Amino acid sequence: MEFQVPDSISEKEKKLIPFIAYPMTIYFKNGNTRTETKSEMGTMIIFQNTNSDESVTCADMMGNKIAMKTSKASIEKMRSMFPIGLPDIKYGNETKMIAGVRCKKANVTYKDTNCPPMDVWYTKEIDLANLYQSNIEGIDGFLMEYTALKDGIIIGSKITSFEQVSIPDSLFNIPEGYKMMKMDSLMTPEQNEKY
């Protein structure tokens, strides 16, 4: 997956959004996902099982290894702090192939004018639909591409390729050496674990 970063953005601005400006790799097997991003600042890995309400984000940046456990309830709590309401989705008849996968188009708008309208391309051909960190409520499929226009700048992301590879189950284990935290502990200190 690659993020669309406008040509007009400066190198200084890119450093302020280090993980957005770099490609992302998603591994998936038997309902498990591992999403990896590497940048100049370090590595970020997100683990999730589609049957679980929890995910774990591991950040290895500038010599610090921190893992954060996030539940669906925590994500909903964060979203409630910035309520934008449910999206209005208009499904179109357009289809196109993205990375060899047939996708359908939808237009997504929110009542909150701070959220720009988006054109999204999604598919049901990939069994990764509705990962709660990245889904758009109401789109029943895996997001393959989206674009939005905000303040005259086009932003978005796109799946660029798929590859069938043999993946060991161990790839979905949290690596050793990370200090585990819960998202809620950022607001309320509690015991943290170490992996």
mmCIF file of all heavy atoms in Angstrom, residues 72-114:
data_model
loop_
_atom_site.group_PDB
_atom_site.id
_atom_site.type_symbol
_atom_site.label_atom_id
_atom_site.label_comp_id
_atom_site.label_asym_id
_atom_site.label_seq_id
_atom_site.Cartn_x
_atom_site.Cartn_y
_atom_site.Cartn_z
ATOM 1 N N LYS A 72 -11.459 -2.261 20.601
ATOM 2 C CA LYS A 72 -12.474 -1.589 19.784
ATOM 3 C C LYS A 72 -13.160 -0.508 20.615
ATOM 4 O O LYS A 72 -13.447 0.578 20.127
ATOM 5 C CB LYS A 72 -13.493 -2.604 19.275
ATOM 6 C CG LYS A 72 -14.502 -2.008 18.320
ATOM 7 C CD LYS A 72 -15.403 -3.077 17.734
ATOM 8 C CE LYS A 72 -16.375 -2.472 16.739
ATOM 9 N NZ LYS A 72 -17.262 -3.486 16.156
ATOM 10 N N ALA A 73 -13.374 -0.787 21.914
ATOM 11 C CA ALA A 73 -14.007 0.195 22.808
ATOM 12 C C ALA A 73 -13.138 1.447 22.937
ATOM 13 O O ALA A 73 -13.654 2.567 22.966
ATOM 14 C CB ALA A 73 -14.255 -0.426 24.182
ATOM 15 N N SER A 74 -11.797 1.268 22.987
ATOM 16 C CA SER A 74 -10.891 2.416 23.075
ATOM 17 C C SER A 74 -10.951 3.268 21.809
ATOM 18 O O SER A 74 -10.935 4.496 21.876
ATOM 19 C CB SER A 74 -9.450 1.954 23.301
ATOM 20 O OG SER A 74 -9.322 1.302 24.529
ATOM 21 N N ILE A 75 -11.008 2.589 20.657
ATOM 22 C CA ILE A 75 -11.110 3.316 19.383
ATOM 23 C C ILE A 75 -12.411 4.115 19.349
ATOM 24 O O ILE A 75 -12.433 5.287 18.956
ATOM 25 C CB ILE A 75 -11.046 2.341 18.187
ATOM 26 C CG1 ILE A 75 -9.673 1.659 18.111
ATOM 27 C CG2 ILE A 75 -11.378 3.054 16.880
ATOM 28 C CD1 ILE A 75 -8.556 2.521 17.618
ATOM 29 N N GLU A 76 -13.508 3.466 19.760
ATOM 30 C CA GLU A 76 -14.800 4.160 19.777
ATOM 31 C C GLU A 76 -14.773 5.343 20.739
ATOM 32 O O GLU A 76 -15.354 6.392 20.459
ATOM 33 C CB GLU A 76 -15.923 3.190 20.147
ATOM 34 C CG GLU A 76 -16.182 2.104 19.105
ATOM 35 C CD GLU A 76 -16.492 2.660 17.725
ATOM 36 O OE1 GLU A 76 -17.157 3.712 17.631
ATOM 37 O OE2 GLU A 76 -16.061 2.052 16.732
ATOM 38 N N LYS A 77 -14.097 5.190 21.871
ATOM 39 C CA LYS A 77 -13.979 6.281 22.842
ATOM 40 C C LYS A 77 -13.235 7.462 22.227
ATOM 41 O O LYS A 77 -13.630 8.612 22.382
ATOM 42 C CB LYS A 77 -13.260 5.777 24.096
ATOM 43 C CG LYS A 77 -13.201 6.781 25.227
ATOM 44 C CD LYS A 77 -12.551 6.162 26.454
ATOM 45 C CE LYS A 77 -12.440 7.152 27.597
ATOM 46 N NZ LYS A 77 -11.768 6.554 28.769
ATOM 47 N N MET A 78 -12.138 7.159 21.516
ATOM 48 C CA MET A 78 -11.385 8.230 20.849
ATOM 49 C C MET A 78 -12.241 8.910 19.792
ATOM 50 O O MET A 78 -12.241 10.130 19.671
ATOM 51 C CB MET A 78 -10.119 7.667 20.208
ATOM 52 C CG MET A 78 -8.982 7.497 21.168
ATOM 53 S SD MET A 78 -7.494 6.840 20.388
ATOM 54 C CE MET A 78 -7.350 7.752 18.890
ATOM 55 N N ARG A 79 -12.965 8.104 19.019
ATOM 56 C CA ARG A 79 -13.807 8.680 17.960
ATOM 57 C C ARG A 79 -14.907 9.558 18.549
ATOM 58 O O ARG A 79 -15.292 10.554 17.950
ATOM 59 C CB ARG A 79 -14.420 7.565 17.115
ATOM 60 C CG ARG A 79 -13.434 6.891 16.192
ATOM 61 C CD ARG A 79 -14.069 5.785 15.390
ATOM 62 N NE ARG A 79 -13.102 5.190 14.472
ATOM 63 C CZ ARG A 79 -13.311 4.084 13.794
ATOM 64 N NH1 ARG A 79 -14.462 3.443 13.905
ATOM 65 N NH2 ARG A 79 -12.387 3.608 12.993
ATOM 66 N N SER A 80 -15.394 9.181 19.739
ATOM 67 C CA SER A 80 -16.470 9.964 20.362
ATOM 68 C C SER A 80 -15.981 11.335 20.826
ATOM 69 O O SER A 80 -16.761 12.254 21.002
ATOM 70 C CB SER A 80 -17.092 9.206 21.535
ATOM 71 O OG SER A 80 -16.191 9.131 22.620
ATOM 72 N N MET A 81 -14.656 11.460 21.018
ATOM 73 C CA MET A 81 -14.092 12.752 21.414
ATOM 74 C C MET A 81 -14.100 13.733 20.246
ATOM 75 O O MET A 81 -14.052 14.937 20.432
ATOM 76 C CB MET A 81 -12.665 12.566 21.935
ATOM 77 C CG MET A 81 -12.604 11.757 23.231
ATOM 78 S SD MET A 81 -10.933 11.237 23.668
ATOM 79 C CE MET A 81 -10.199 12.800 24.105
ATOM 80 N N PHE A 82 -14.144 13.188 19.037
ATOM 81 C CA PHE A 82 -14.192 14.007 17.823
ATOM 82 C C PHE A 82 -15.364 13.533 16.972
ATOM 83 O O PHE A 82 -15.165 12.936 15.912
ATOM 84 C CB PHE A 82 -12.883 13.888 17.041
ATOM 85 C CG PHE A 82 -11.669 14.173 17.855
ATOM 86 C CD1 PHE A 82 -10.944 13.139 18.427
ATOM 87 C CD2 PHE A 82 -11.259 15.475 18.089
ATOM 88 C CE1 PHE A 82 -9.819 13.400 19.200
ATOM 89 C CE2 PHE A 82 -10.138 15.736 18.854
ATOM 90 C CZ PHE A 82 -9.415 14.701 19.415
ATOM 91 N N PRO A 83 -16.588 13.737 17.456
ATOM 92 C CA PRO A 83 -17.746 13.166 16.753
ATOM 93 C C PRO A 83 -17.949 13.791 15.370
ATOM 94 O O PRO A 83 -18.039 15.002 15.227
ATOM 95 C CB PRO A 83 -18.918 13.504 17.687
ATOM 96 C CG PRO A 83 -18.461 14.680 18.477
ATOM 97 C CD PRO A 83 -16.966 14.568 18.602
ATOM 98 N N ILE A 84 -17.970 12.930 14.387
ATOM 99 C CA ILE A 84 -18.220 13.413 13.023
ATOM 100 C C ILE A 84 -19.493 12.801 12.463
ATOM 101 O O ILE A 84 -19.908 13.132 11.365
ATOM 102 C CB ILE A 84 -17.027 13.112 12.088
ATOM 103 C CG1 ILE A 84 -16.735 11.613 12.055
ATOM 104 C CG2 ILE A 84 -15.799 13.902 12.501
ATOM 105 C CD1 ILE A 84 -15.696 11.207 11.043
ATOM 106 N N GLY A 85 -20.098 11.897 13.236
ATOM 107 C CA GLY A 85 -21.337 11.269 12.784
ATOM 108 C C GLY A 85 -21.074 10.150 11.795
ATOM 109 O O GLY A 85 -19.952 9.921 11.363
ATOM 110 N N LEU A 86 -22.131 9.460 11.441
ATOM 111 C CA LEU A 86 -22.020 8.377 10.474
ATOM 112 C C LEU A 86 -21.873 8.944 9.069
ATOM 113 O O LEU A 86 -22.430 10.004 8.750
ATOM 114 C CB LEU A 86 -23.259 7.484 10.534
ATOM 115 C CG LEU A 86 -23.434 6.684 11.821
ATOM 116 C CD1 LEU A 86 -24.784 5.976 11.820
ATOM 117 C CD2 LEU A 86 -22.302 5.689 11.987
ATOM 118 N N PRO A 87 -21.129 8.254 8.220
ATOM 119 C CA PRO A 87 -20.953 8.769 6.860
ATOM 120 C C PRO A 87 -22.194 8.561 6.013
ATOM 121 O O PRO A 87 -22.975 7.639 6.252
ATOM 122 C CB PRO A 87 -19.790 7.933 6.330
ATOM 123 C CG PRO A 87 -19.868 6.655 7.092
ATOM 124 C CD PRO A 87 -20.380 7.021 8.450
ATOM 125 N N ASP A 88 -22.361 9.428 5.039
ATOM 126 C CA ASP A 88 -23.382 9.240 4.012
ATOM 127 C C ASP A 88 -22.667 8.597 2.835
ATOM 128 O O ASP A 88 -21.706 9.166 2.301
ATOM 129 C CB ASP A 88 -23.985 10.597 3.622
ATOM 130 C CG ASP A 88 -25.033 10.454 2.528
ATOM 131 O OD1 ASP A 88 -25.702 9.403 2.480
ATOM 132 O OD2 ASP A 88 -25.172 11.387 1.716
ATOM 133 N N ILE A 89 -23.090 7.404 2.461
ATOM 134 C CA ILE A 89 -22.402 6.644 1.408
ATOM 135 C C ILE A 89 -23.294 6.529 0.194
ATOM 136 O O ILE A 89 -24.438 6.097 0.285
ATOM 137 C CB ILE A 89 -22.015 5.240 1.915
ATOM 138 C CG1 ILE A 89 -21.103 5.361 3.136
ATOM 139 C CG2 ILE A 89 -21.339 4.438 0.813
ATOM 140 C CD1 ILE A 89 -20.858 4.052 3.849
ATOM 141 N N LYS A 90 -22.759 6.942 -0.948
ATOM 142 C CA LYS A 90 -23.466 6.797 -2.221
ATOM 143 C C LYS A 90 -22.683 5.791 -3.060
ATOM 144 O O LYS A 90 -21.534 6.028 -3.416
ATOM 145 C CB LYS A 90 -23.561 8.143 -2.938
ATOM 146 C CG LYS A 90 -24.498 9.111 -2.254
ATOM 147 C CD LYS A 90 -24.729 10.347 -3.112
ATOM 148 C CE LYS A 90 -25.800 11.248 -2.526
ATOM 149 N NZ LYS A 90 -25.392 11.977 -1.358
ATOM 150 N N TYR A 91 -23.343 4.660 -3.322
ATOM 151 C CA TYR A 91 -22.695 3.608 -4.091
ATOM 152 C C TYR A 91 -22.905 3.865 -5.575
ATOM 153 O O TYR A 91 -24.001 4.191 -6.015
ATOM 154 C CB TYR A 91 -23.258 2.236 -3.718
ATOM 155 C CG TYR A 91 -22.911 1.835 -2.310
ATOM 156 C CD1 TYR A 91 -23.795 2.067 -1.261
ATOM 157 C CD2 TYR A 91 -21.691 1.249 -2.029
ATOM 158 C CE1 TYR A 91 -23.472 1.714 0.043
ATOM 159 C CE2 TYR A 91 -21.354 0.886 -0.736
ATOM 160 C CZ TYR A 91 -22.243 1.121 0.296
ATOM 161 O OH TYR A 91 -21.915 0.777 1.577
ATOM 162 N N GLY A 92 -21.843 3.717 -6.333
ATOM 163 C CA GLY A 92 -21.924 3.894 -7.776
ATOM 164 C C GLY A 92 -21.876 2.560 -8.492
ATOM 165 O O GLY A 92 -21.717 1.508 -7.866
ATOM 166 N N ASN A 93 -22.016 2.599 -9.801
ATOM 167 C CA ASN A 93 -21.953 1.389 -10.618
ATOM 168 C C ASN A 93 -20.569 1.165 -11.199
ATOM 169 O O ASN A 93 -20.322 0.153 -11.849
ATOM 170 C CB ASN A 93 -22.975 1.464 -11.761
ATOM 171 C CG ASN A 93 -24.393 1.475 -11.228
ATOM 172 O OD1 ASN A 93 -24.703 0.774 -10.269
ATOM 173 N ND2 ASN A 93 -25.244 2.291 -11.826
ATOM 174 N N GLU A 94 -19.673 2.129 -10.963
ATOM 175 C CA GLU A 94 -18.333 2.029 -11.546
ATOM 176 C C GLU A 94 -17.541 0.902 -10.895
ATOM 177 O O GLU A 94 -17.626 0.679 -9.695
ATOM 178 C CB GLU A 94 -17.556 3.328 -11.348
ATOM 179 C CG GLU A 94 -18.037 4.488 -12.185
ATOM 180 C CD GLU A 94 -17.196 5.724 -11.916
ATOM 181 O OE1 GLU A 94 -16.013 5.730 -12.325
ATOM 182 O OE2 GLU A 94 -17.718 6.660 -11.286
ATOM 183 N N THR A 95 -16.761 0.207 -11.720
ATOM 184 C CA THR A 95 -15.817 -0.785 -11.217
ATOM 185 C C THR A 95 -14.476 -0.543 -11.900
ATOM 186 O O THR A 95 -14.408 0.047 -12.980
ATOM 187 C CB THR A 95 -16.283 -2.225 -11.508
ATOM 188 O OG1 THR A 95 -16.356 -2.409 -12.921
ATOM 189 C CG2 THR A 95 -17.621 -2.522 -10.863
ATOM 190 N N LYS A 96 -13.421 -0.972 -11.234
ATOM 191 C CA LYS A 96 -12.111 -0.951 -11.882
ATOM 192 C C LYS A 96 -11.217 -1.969 -11.191
ATOM 193 O O LYS A 96 -11.493 -2.412 -10.069
ATOM 194 C CB LYS A 96 -11.485 0.447 -11.853
ATOM 195 C CG LYS A 96 -10.922 0.915 -10.535
ATOM 196 C CD LYS A 96 -10.191 2.243 -10.727
ATOM 197 C CE LYS A 96 -9.636 2.783 -9.412
ATOM 198 N NZ LYS A 96 -8.886 4.033 -9.594
ATOM 199 N N MET A 97 -10.162 -2.346 -11.893
ATOM 200 C CA MET A 97 -9.200 -3.286 -11.354
ATOM 201 C C MET A 97 -8.093 -2.507 -10.648
ATOM 202 O O MET A 97 -7.545 -1.560 -11.210
ATOM 203 C CB MET A 97 -8.599 -4.155 -12.466
ATOM 204 C CG MET A 97 -9.624 -4.971 -13.239
ATOM 205 S SD MET A 97 -10.484 -6.210 -12.235
ATOM 206 C CE MET A 97 -9.198 -7.451 -12.087
ATOM 207 N N ILE A 98 -7.819 -2.900 -9.409
ATOM 208 C CA ILE A 98 -6.703 -2.321 -8.657
ATOM 209 C C ILE A 98 -5.839 -3.486 -8.201
ATOM 210 O O ILE A 98 -6.318 -4.380 -7.507
ATOM 211 C CB ILE A 98 -7.187 -1.509 -7.440
ATOM 212 C CG1 ILE A 98 -8.078 -0.339 -7.890
ATOM 213 C CG2 ILE A 98 -6.007 -1.002 -6.618
ATOM 214 C CD1 ILE A 98 -8.719 0.430 -6.743
ATOM 215 N N ALA A 99 -4.600 -3.496 -8.615
ATOM 216 C CA ALA A 99 -3.651 -4.562 -8.272
ATOM 217 C C ALA A 99 -4.229 -5.941 -8.594
ATOM 218 O O ALA A 99 -4.044 -6.899 -7.846
ATOM 219 C CB ALA A 99 -3.248 -4.470 -6.802
ATOM 220 N N GLY A 100 -4.963 -6.015 -9.711
ATOM 221 C CA GLY A 100 -5.515 -7.287 -10.146
ATOM 222 C C GLY A 100 -6.802 -7.710 -9.459
ATOM 223 O O GLY A 100 -7.265 -8.839 -9.636
ATOM 224 N N VAL A 101 -7.399 -6.826 -8.666
ATOM 225 C CA VAL A 101 -8.617 -7.151 -7.917
ATOM 226 C C VAL A 101 -9.749 -6.230 -8.374
ATOM 227 O O VAL A 101 -9.568 -5.014 -8.478
ATOM 228 C CB VAL A 101 -8.382 -6.971 -6.394
ATOM 229 C CG1 VAL A 101 -9.647 -7.268 -5.614
ATOM 230 C CG2 VAL A 101 -7.247 -7.873 -5.922
ATOM 231 N N ARG A 102 -10.932 -6.813 -8.643
ATOM 232 C CA ARG A 102 -12.071 -6.013 -9.075
ATOM 233 C C ARG A 102 -12.641 -5.242 -7.894
ATOM 234 O O ARG A 102 -12.927 -5.793 -6.838
ATOM 235 C CB ARG A 102 -13.169 -6.906 -9.684
ATOM 236 C CG ARG A 102 -14.372 -6.098 -10.216
ATOM 237 C CD ARG A 102 -15.325 -6.955 -11.008
ATOM 238 N NE ARG A 102 -14.688 -7.623 -12.136
ATOM 239 C CZ ARG A 102 -14.370 -7.013 -13.293
ATOM 240 N NH1 ARG A 102 -14.635 -5.740 -13.457
ATOM 241 N NH2 ARG A 102 -13.807 -7.689 -14.260
ATOM 242 N N CYS A 103 -12.809 -3.921 -8.087
ATOM 243 C CA CYS A 103 -13.272 -3.042 -7.013
ATOM 244 C C CYS A 103 -14.490 -2.240 -7.448
ATOM 245 O O CYS A 103 -14.689 -1.993 -8.639
ATOM 246 C CB CYS A 103 -12.163 -2.058 -6.617
ATOM 247 S SG CYS A 103 -10.658 -2.879 -6.082
ATOM 248 N N LYS A 104 -15.293 -1.849 -6.479
ATOM 249 C CA LYS A 104 -16.455 -1.000 -6.712
ATOM 250 C C LYS A 104 -16.206 0.359 -6.070
ATOM 251 O O LYS A 104 -15.471 0.474 -5.088
ATOM 252 C CB LYS A 104 -17.707 -1.629 -6.104
ATOM 253 C CG LYS A 104 -18.113 -2.929 -6.760
ATOM 254 C CD LYS A 104 -19.374 -3.483 -6.120
ATOM 255 C CE LYS A 104 -19.799 -4.781 -6.777
ATOM 256 N NZ LYS A 104 -21.035 -5.315 -6.172
ATOM 257 N N LYS A 105 -16.895 1.372 -6.606
ATOM 258 C CA LYS A 105 -16.685 2.740 -6.145
ATOM 259 C C LYS A 105 -17.841 3.215 -5.272
ATOM 260 O O LYS A 105 -18.999 2.844 -5.487
ATOM 261 C CB LYS A 105 -16.554 3.682 -7.342
ATOM 262 C CG LYS A 105 -16.208 5.111 -6.966
ATOM 263 C CD LYS A 105 -16.067 5.992 -8.203
ATOM 264 C CE LYS A 105 -15.683 7.407 -7.829
ATOM 265 N NZ LYS A 105 -15.568 8.282 -9.006
ATOM 266 N N ALA A 106 -17.497 4.025 -4.283
ATOM 267 C CA ALA A 106 -18.502 4.694 -3.454
ATOM 268 C C ALA A 106 -17.988 6.083 -3.116
ATOM 269 O O ALA A 106 -16.778 6.320 -3.058
ATOM 270 C CB ALA A 106 -18.766 3.902 -2.181
ATOM 271 N N ASN A 107 -18.911 7.002 -2.898
ATOM 272 C CA ASN A 107 -18.564 8.352 -2.471
ATOM 273 C C ASN A 107 -19.008 8.504 -1.021
ATOM 274 O O ASN A 107 -20.146 8.187 -0.686
ATOM 275 C CB ASN A 107 -19.235 9.401 -3.357
ATOM 276 C CG ASN A 107 -18.877 10.807 -2.935
ATOM 277 O OD1 ASN A 107 -19.622 11.449 -2.212
ATOM 278 N ND2 ASN A 107 -17.721 11.279 -3.370
ATOM 279 N N VAL A 108 -18.098 8.979 -0.173
ATOM 280 C CA VAL A 108 -18.360 9.084 1.262
ATOM 281 C C VAL A 108 -18.289 10.545 1.680
ATOM 282 O O VAL A 108 -17.308 11.232 1.398
ATOM 283 C CB VAL A 108 -17.318 8.265 2.068
ATOM 284 C CG1 VAL A 108 -17.565 8.394 3.562
ATOM 285 C CG2 VAL A 108 -17.340 6.805 1.641
ATOM 286 N N THR A 109 -19.357 11.015 2.345
ATOM 287 C CA THR A 109 -19.359 12.377 2.870
ATOM 288 C C THR A 109 -19.810 12.337 4.329
ATOM 289 O O THR A 109 -20.500 11.423 4.759
ATOM 290 C CB THR A 109 -20.300 13.304 2.073
ATOM 291 O OG1 THR A 109 -21.610 12.741 2.070
ATOM 292 C CG2 THR A 109 -19.819 13.500 0.649
ATOM 293 N N TYR A 110 -19.379 13.351 5.066
ATOM 294 C CA TYR A 110 -19.764 13.503 6.472
ATOM 295 C C TYR A 110 -20.428 14.856 6.652
ATOM 296 O O TYR A 110 -20.132 15.805 5.910
ATOM 297 C CB TYR A 110 -18.532 13.424 7.378
ATOM 298 C CG TYR A 110 -17.897 12.059 7.430
ATOM 299 C CD1 TYR A 110 -16.907 11.695 6.514
ATOM 300 C CD2 TYR A 110 -18.274 11.138 8.398
ATOM 301 C CE1 TYR A 110 -16.320 10.445 6.570
ATOM 302 C CE2 TYR A 110 -17.680 9.883 8.455
ATOM 303 C CZ TYR A 110 -16.701 9.544 7.544
ATOM 304 O OH TYR A 110 -16.122 8.306 7.595
ATOM 305 N N LYS A 111 -21.313 14.955 7.655
ATOM 306 C CA LYS A 111 -21.936 16.241 7.953
ATOM 307 C C LYS A 111 -20.900 17.243 8.454
ATOM 308 O O LYS A 111 -21.002 18.433 8.220
ATOM 309 C CB LYS A 111 -23.047 16.067 8.994
ATOM 310 C CG LYS A 111 -24.269 15.368 8.436
ATOM 311 C CD LYS A 111 -25.364 15.223 9.463
ATOM 312 C CE LYS A 111 -26.541 14.468 8.860
ATOM 313 N NZ LYS A 111 -27.584 14.186 9.840
ATOM 314 N N ASP A 112 -19.879 16.737 9.173
ATOM 315 C CA ASP A 112 -18.799 17.584 9.674
ATOM 316 C C ASP A 112 -17.975 18.067 8.490
ATOM 317 O O ASP A 112 -17.359 17.280 7.775
ATOM 318 C CB ASP A 112 -17.924 16.785 10.637
ATOM 319 C CG ASP A 112 -16.863 17.636 11.315
ATOM 320 O OD1 ASP A 112 -16.435 18.649 10.731
ATOM 321 O OD2 ASP A 112 -16.458 17.285 12.434
ATOM 322 N N THR A 113 -17.955 19.363 8.284
ATOM 323 C CA THR A 113 -17.264 19.916 7.121
ATOM 324 C C THR A 113 -15.744 19.823 7.232
ATOM 325 O O THR A 113 -15.041 20.065 6.252
ATOM 326 C CB THR A 113 -17.663 21.390 6.905
ATOM 327 O OG1 THR A 113 -17.398 22.119 8.107
ATOM 328 C CG2 THR A 113 -19.131 21.512 6.543
ATOM 329 N N ASN A 114 -15.219 19.474 8.419
ATOM 330 C CA ASN A 114 -13.773 19.276 8.546
ATOM 331 C C ASN A 114 -13.322 17.974 7.903
ATOM 332 O O ASN A 114 -12.137 17.759 7.691
ATOM 333 C CB ASN A 114 -13.354 19.296 10.020
ATOM 334 C CG ASN A 114 -13.430 20.691 10.602
ATOM 335 O OD1 ASN A 114 -13.064 21.655 9.955
ATOM 336 N ND2 ASN A 114 -13.932 20.799 11.818
#
